Every structure is written in C-alpha cells, then in structure tokens.
Amino acid sequence: AQRVTQPEKLLSVFKGAPVELKCNYSYSGSPELFWYVQYSRQRLQLLLRHISRESIKGFTADLNKGETSFHLKKPFAQEEDSAMYYCALGYNFNKFYFGSGTKLNVKP
Amino acid sequence: EAQVTQNPRYLITVTGKKLTVTCSQNMNHEYMSWYRQDPGLGLRQIYYSMNVEVTDKGDVPEGYKVSRKEKRNFPLILESPSPNQTSLYFCASSLFAGVTDTQYFGPGTRLTVL
C-alpha cells in the first residue's frame, strides 16, 4: 500500500541553521511527490514538486528512489519559514496521500 | 479573487442529521477533491472528481457521498453523520486531472458530530 511517513512531528532550529524535513514514501509505481506548506492562519499551499526541480523560498527537495525519500532542505532557516509542512504522494493518476506533517519552528 | 470556498466553516451537529458541506471554485478547474484531517494522520482523501459527473473514491469514502453536477461545485454529503466523522475537512481543486498539477485548497470546515 502507498504510504508517506514524516517521522518528525516537530522540528525546532535557530535562525540561520540548516533545515531538513524528512519524508519517506512507499509506492510500487512511479511517484509524483510534493511538499505543501501551511503558514499560520493561511491555507495549505504548494511549496514545490519534484518534477519541477525548482527551488522555492530557498527550499529544495530531491527525489531519491533508492532510499524512497523526498527530504526538504534549506541551508539557512528564516523565522518566516515557521509553518506546518506536509509531504504528499500522487499516485494512480488521480489520488493523493499526505503525510502527517512536520511543524517547523525557527527560533530567533 | 481566484479561490476555493467552503461553507460552513464550522458546524456542530448531532448523530444522524444529514448535512452538506459545500465547495466551490471560480478557476474553471477540472479536478476537485475532498480530504479529512485528523490529529496525527495528515490529510486523507475521501472522494475526488476528474470532471463533471465523474467522481471516484479516495482512501476513506465510507459514510460520505459527493456529486459533481457543475464544474465549479463539489459538495460533500454526510447522510447519517456519526461521531467518528468529527474532523477538519478540506476541499481542493486543480486545473487538470492527474497527479502532476498543483492543488489549491479551501480554508477548511471544522465539523463536530455529537
């Protein structure tokens, strides 16, 4: 069965420190992977997706099919990065499975 | 403003009393989907629709119904709500069906079933 695991419920770092939010998936097919973010009092919104290979707000994520991971990274965290982050798997053409989320807290 | 709207935002009801949560988008999106979010479980997909009159089950469809008679609307129907359907519900839409497109989310509906 397809699954997305985000092992950390809460991640606290200091401003300027590197950040890595972990995401592991299980899916026998070819996965489509996304990171969504929810800032305080805002809607859930797309941060980035693996097919675009882009960097958004300094965040990057690389799909590692060997380790079935899609970790989100940023070299220098900012206070405005504090939010809830969800890793999501798109599968079977129209279905999505979201991880349970990681709350990132960037301390000044 | 292009967006997904949900109504109501908050609802407290009793077991067995039929209710509908509406979802509407003004972006001419083909794909719409309903999720529920429970503590520690993330978002779980209930139903999705690839276009008008085309709907299919997600991971947790039991106890829910949907319809897609118009492109802009995708209501979620609970014909006989039970306390285990107490949850935070999100509607989302994307321009095209398929898993590569960006989903745009509504603000959420917090439902409590007593």
Side-chain angles (χ1 to χ4, degrees):
Chain A
Q2 55 288 335
R3 278 288 181 268
V4 173
T5 304
Q6 294 180 247
E8 303 129 334
K9 288 187 176 175
L10 173 65
L11 186 62
S12 286
V13 301
F14 284 102
K15 176 183 172 181
V19 170
E20 183 179 50
L21 287 80
K22 291 185 167 52
C23 172
N24 288 91
Y25 68 92
S26 61
Y27 178 53
S28 56
S30 185
E32 299 290 343
L33 286 152
F34 306 81
W35 278 98
Y36 279 82
V37 60
Q38 188 168 28
Y39 301 102
S40 179
R41 296 196 185 93
Q42 294 188 28
R43 302 180 184 205
L44 198 60
Q45 59 186 284
L46 179 71
L47 180 62
L48 56 79
R49 46 188 167 170
H50 91 273
I51 58 170
S52 301
R53 294 185 167 275
E54 56 202 342
S55 172
I56 303 293
K57 298 184 179 182
F59 284 98
T60 59
D62 290 319
L63 176 60
N64 186 324
K65 290 189 177 180
E67 295 183 359
T68 59
S69 68
F70 188 57
H71 303 328
L72 183 68
K73 299 177 184 178
K74 185 169 183 176
F76 308 104
Q78 303 299 314
E79 288 181 68
E80 55 265 29
D81 296 328
S82 293
M84 197 75 186
Y85 291 80
Y86 294 93
C87 182
L89 167 72
Y91 68 100
N92 287 4
F93 302 113
N94 284 294
K95 293 188 171 185
F96 292 91
Y97 192 98
F98 282 73
S100 55
T102 297
K103 184 174 183 178
L104 175 63
N105 180 32
V106 181
K107 298 176 283 190
Chain B
E1 180 189 357
Q3 62 179 342
V4 178
T5 56
Q6 294 178 230
N7 282 292
R9 295 288 313 280
Y10 302 91
L11 179 60
I12 300 175
T13 189
V14 295
T15 299
K17 186 176 181 182
K18 181 179 178 179
L19 67 91
T20 300
V21 184
T22 65
C23 173
S24 183
Q25 50 87 10
N26 60 1
M27 298 172 280
N28 200 35
H29 283 179
E30 287 185 351
Y31 183 89
M32 298 185 75
S33 183
W34 276 104
Y35 298 89
R36 61 177 288 174
Q37 185 180 34
D38 302 292
L41 292 178
L43 281 77
R44 293 180 292 168
Q45 195 171 29
I46 304 171
Y47 270 96
Y48 62 91
S49 169
M50 292 157 282
N51 215 321
V52 175
E53 302 290 5
V54 184
T55 63
D56 206 349
K57 298 176 181 178
D59 280 339
V60 289
E62 295 78 19
Y64 304 95
K65 286 176 62 175
V66 293
S67 69
R68 187 95 181 269
K69 293 185 170 59
E70 307 166 279
K71 200 170 187 179
R72 64 184 293 126
N73 296 323
F74 190 45
L76 180 70
I77 303 155
L78 286 72
E79 298 224 324
S80 183
S82 63
N84 64 13
Q85 294 178 296
T86 292
S87 189
L88 179 59
Y89 291 87
F90 289 101
C91 180
S93 71
S94 61
L95 184 58
F96 299 115
V99 295
T100 58
D101 210 2
T102 301
Q103 290 190 83
Y104 295 86
F105 282 82
T109 294
R110 189 167 291 281
L111 172 65
T112 301
V113 183
L114 301 174

